[in-house]
Amino acid sequence: MKRNLSGALFAFLVMAGACLPATLFAQGVSPNDAELAAIRAAGDAYVVAMQRGDVEVLRSMWTEDGDYLDAAGNAHKARDLFQPEPEQQPAAKEAIEVPAWERSLRLVTPTVAIEDGVLRNVEHANGGVYSRRFTAIWVKRDGKWLLDGLREATMEGPAVRSQLRELDWLIGEWAGKAEEAEMLVSAHYSKDGNYLVRSCLIRGAGGEVLTATERIGWDAEKQTFKSQAIDSTGSTSESLWREANGQWLVETSVLLPDGQRATTQTSYQPNGLDSFIWKVSESQVGTDKLPARQVEFRRAPEDTHRSMSSKPECRAGDYPCQLLVP
């Protein structure tokens, strides 16, 4: 399934699928109420199909000419966005938390309905959080309610702490290469907006993979950024960040699984919106020395992290990720 609809349509139809009790169809319910309930039931069926990754059902719930206009103004034929992909795995059948929403649903004619609303604090597939306005058009064909159009307005992120805005340039997917190693960093804001969350990954020439997760926040006492991380070897680290002359300097203290400690000094030099230079000074772990290195990172496709991470992880005893990846 195409990723550019997985967030918008899924989130909208989760909301639309808030199923009404069957008693609404009992005697005494007006025809309009019954039709509105049927539209919500159609949304519920859409959610089930999305959970199962049932592309054929999803396509069947759109009209032949149904179109989708995303928040950036890009128009798509909806059915074309639900194409089977090679080796696609069905989505897990897990419970869905209905996001906070405001909406109105009205019948324009007996066979056309319009739904307007706002979704708030919805988690996107890439880990970010957004709020979004939408208008959906439902039409009744051969006794069945189908989606005929979906329009989205602006997207908003979480209420991010003002200090973190200084690190906006880190948000997104980044890829770099050093000698025979491929490196990837993925960054997004936490749902509450208090942290910048980064996932780091490095894959060596032999296919081994090291991973780390880091949370960066504002330290009010030290008046600077502070981060904590843990990697796939069991090492943990703590870092202090400061800006100087257009670059960011990071001092990191690492605790290894065997109790040894190590320190590193790294720097980040933003280069426009689509690249940055990461430098690490020479480091020492016990009697082993890790050489200084410099890597240029460029923006990468959103699914790069998923494709790289489907490899064996590193073993305890390998160098900690904090000494190898930004």
Side-chain angles (χ1 to χ4, degrees):
M1 190 182 306
K2 301 291 185 179
R3 289 178 61 86
N4 53 2
L5 262 192
S6 61
L9 295 181
F10 180 72
F12 158 63
L13 287 159
V14 167
M15 178 277 297
C19 199
L20 296 181
T23 54
L24 285 179
F25 296 97
Q27 185 177 2
V29 176
S30 71
N32 282 358
D33 288 340
E35 294 296 346
L36 294 177
I39 295 170
R40 292 183 173 92
D44 186 63
Y46 193 103
V47 170
V48 172
M50 185 71 77
Q51 286 179 304
R52 295 175 177 171
D54 195 334
V55 176
E56 291 185 5
V57 170
L58 293 170
R59 281 173 54 85
S60 72
M61 297 190 71
W62 279 85
T63 62
E64 182 67 29
D65 298 318
D67 64 329
Y68 163 66
L69 187 68
D70 63 26
N74 301 309
H76 313 270
K77 186 174 180 180
R79 286 194 173 186
D80 290 345
L81 295 172
F82 291 102
Q83 299 290 344
E85 295 180 354
E87 301 179 0
Q88 180 177 340
Q89 298 296 321
K93 297 181 181 179
E94 55 187 21
I96 297 175
E97 182 178 353
V98 179
W101 51 272
E102 304 167 9
R103 60 137 185 194
S104 64
L105 178 62
R106 65 188 185 279
L107 288 172
V108 180
T109 73
T111 59
V112 178
I114 294 178
E115 185 147 23
D116 296 300
V118 179
L119 295 171
R120 301 189 186 280
N121 300 323
V122 179
E123 186 171 0
H124 195 273
N126 64 10
V129 179
Y130 65 85
S131 297
R132 181 178 299 176
R133 294 185 180 275
F134 69 87
T135 297
I137 302 171
W138 294 85
V139 298
K140 193 173 185 179
R141 301 276 176 84
D142 299 324
K144 182 179 179 181
W145 284 99
L146 302 174
L147 278 166
D148 191 54
L150 180 61
R151 305 288 184 270
E152 293 181 339
T154 57
M155 293 176 58
E156 302 172 351
V160 176
R161 275 182 171 270
S162 59
Q163 295 94 338
L164 281 178
R165 289 299 184 188
E166 295 184 58
L167 300 178
D168 273 349
W169 57 273
L170 276 174
I171 296 297
E173 305 276 339
W174 302 90
K177 191 168 185 179
E179 298 175 352
E180 296 183 351
E182 294 177 283
M183 309 169 77
L184 184 76
V185 181
S186 176
H188 63 273
Y189 287 118
S190 62
K191 294 175 70 172
D192 57 19
N194 291 326
Y195 299 95
L196 193 154
V197 182
R198 298 204 304 166
S199 298
C200 304
L201 181 150
I202 178 170
R203 185 175 67 188
E208 66 279 7
V209 171
L210 291 85
T211 61
T213 301
E214 178 185 37
R215 294 173 71 88
I216 306 172
W218 178 253
D219 188 320
E221 181 180 5
K222 293 184 172 64
Q223 289 293 295
T224 190
F225 292 108
K226 182 178 181 179
S227 64
Q228 294 178 323
I230 185 169
D231 70 20
S232 52
T233 69
S235 300
T236 60
S237 72
E238 190 170 283
S239 303
L240 292 178
W241 298 57
R242 63 184 177 88
E243 193 272 339
N245 300 320
Q247 64 178 336
W248 287 88
L249 307 178
V250 183
E251 296 183 3
T252 301
S253 174
V254 182
L255 176 62
L256 305 178
D258 62 4
Q260 292 188 84
R261 290 188 176 274
T263 59
T264 62
Q265 290 79 42
T266 60
S267 67
Y268 295 79
Q269 178 67 61
N271 184 18
L273 298 177
D274 295 319
S275 69
F276 66 82
I277 302 296
W278 173 68
K279 297 179 181 179
V280 58
S281 62
E282 183 180 275
S283 306
Q284 184 161 339
V285 182
T287 59
D288 295 327
K289 286 188 176 181
L290 298 180
R293 60 177 61 81
Q294 175 176 313
V295 181
E296 180 179 13
F297 282 81
R298 295 184 177 274
R299 290 199 180 274
E302 288 189 0
D303 59 354
T304 304
H305 191 280
R306 181 177 60 183
S307 64
M308 285 184 65
S309 61
S310 58
K311 303 290 182 181
E313 292 192 353
C314 59
R315 305 173 303 278
D318 290 336
Y319 288 120
C321 296
Q322 288 93 339
L323 298 180
L324 294 173
V325 299

